[in-house]
Every structure is written in C-alpha cells, then in structure tokens.
C-alpha cells in the first residue's frame, strides 16, 4: 500500500478496525451488485465523519456512470460542503481521472481504495471498451487541486486488493 497523503483538516483518524469494516462492506456491495443486479464490479460507499456510519453507496451503472462519480454527485447534492470534508469515500477500485475530479469537486476529504487501476487493467485487458483504463493515478489528479484529499490505497498488505480482483474476475472472465 502506498502511504496516505496528508490528511484534510476536519478528518478524524481512520482506525485499522474501521478500515477493515468499511472495506468488507464495500466488497460485499460489489459482490451483491455483480451477483444480484448483473452490474459491473465497481462499488463505492460514503462514511460519515465518525468513520463508521455508511451515509450512502453506489454501484457502477455504466461505462460512463461510475460508482464513485454517482456517489460523489449524490453526496454533493445531499450534504454540506464542509460536512463532506470530514467524510471518507471507500471504493473497491482506484478511481479514474473522471471520478477523482468529481470526488475533488464534491469536497470529500478522504478516499480509500482497495485495488489499483493497474490491477484492473491486467484483469480487463488492453482495449476493453467496457473499461478503457486511464494511466492517471488519482493521487496525480488530487495533488494539483486547491484542497487536500487524503488517499489511502491500494490495500495490498491487508489482502483487500486480491479479494477485489478475485471477485471482479468472476464478472470480467464471464463477459469475455
């Protein structure tokens, strides 16, 4: 896992127990979306400032309506800008440049992602029109902004990245 970027003001520290709980909930959401709703294997949830309360969640709706974008837009529509600065988005995958920009504009203070975009490209392959990955790490998008977004991920040592990849492989291998 890459070290987290500097925290945003107003964020409470995320404990290992809170991180594990949120990661499990997010992976369960991805699995449910894939198994129950035949959705692409991408999921995101928003934790309140207590790092435990799930305020909302989202699945990927299409190749342009990503889980993180949908969640960030809904959060910006429903919560105050300052409040979102103390919230954490947890995503099964590293957000693309489009999603990272939406997270930034929504003013969500922290992003946790379980698996990297590099692993996603290995899984989906080059030229997959359902997932044309961009080689633009979310940290690169956030570092040119005017407000801080703390980034934690990928969660390799904790085993979350492998679990996310294994779950998503059930979708992508069937889709080929």
């Amino acid at each position: 896992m890459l070290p987290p970027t500097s925290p945003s003001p107003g964020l409470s520290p995320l404990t290992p127990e809170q991180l594990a709980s949120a990661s499990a909930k997010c992976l369960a959401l991805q699995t449910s979306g894939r198994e129950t709703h035949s959705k692409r294997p991408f999921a995101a949830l928003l934790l309140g400032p207590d790092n435990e309360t799930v305020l909302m969640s989202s699945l990927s709706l299409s190749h342009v309506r990503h889980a993180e974008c949908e969640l960030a837009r809904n959060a910006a529509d429903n919560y105050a800008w300052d409040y979102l600065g103390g919230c954490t988005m947890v995503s099964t995958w590293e957000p693309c440049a489009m999603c990272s920009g939406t997270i930034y504009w929504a003013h969500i203070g922290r992003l946790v992602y379980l698996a990297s975009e590099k692993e996603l490209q290995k899984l989906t392959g080059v030229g997959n029109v359902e997932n044309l990955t961009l080689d633009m790490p979310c940290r690169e998008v956030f570092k040119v902004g005017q407000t801080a977004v703390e980034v934690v991920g990928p969660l390799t040592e904790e085993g979350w990245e492998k679990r996310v990849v294994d779950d998503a492989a059930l979708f992508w291998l069937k889709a080929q």
Side-chain angles (χ1 to χ4, degrees), residues 21 45 130-131 139 150:
S21 174
L45 58 85
E130 278 297 310
N131 193 60
R139 284 176 170 84
E150 179 184 345

Side-chain angles (χ1 to χ4, degrees), residues 5-13 48-49 51 80-88 104 106-111 145-151:
T5 56
S6 58
S8 301
L11 278 173
S12 59
N51 294 327
W81 191 83
D82 288 341
Y83 182 79
L84 289 173
C87 292
T88 299
Y104 171 80
H107 194 244
I108 296 169
R110 180 187 296 124
L111 167 68
Q146 295 182 50
T147 61
V149 177
E150 179 184 345
V151 180

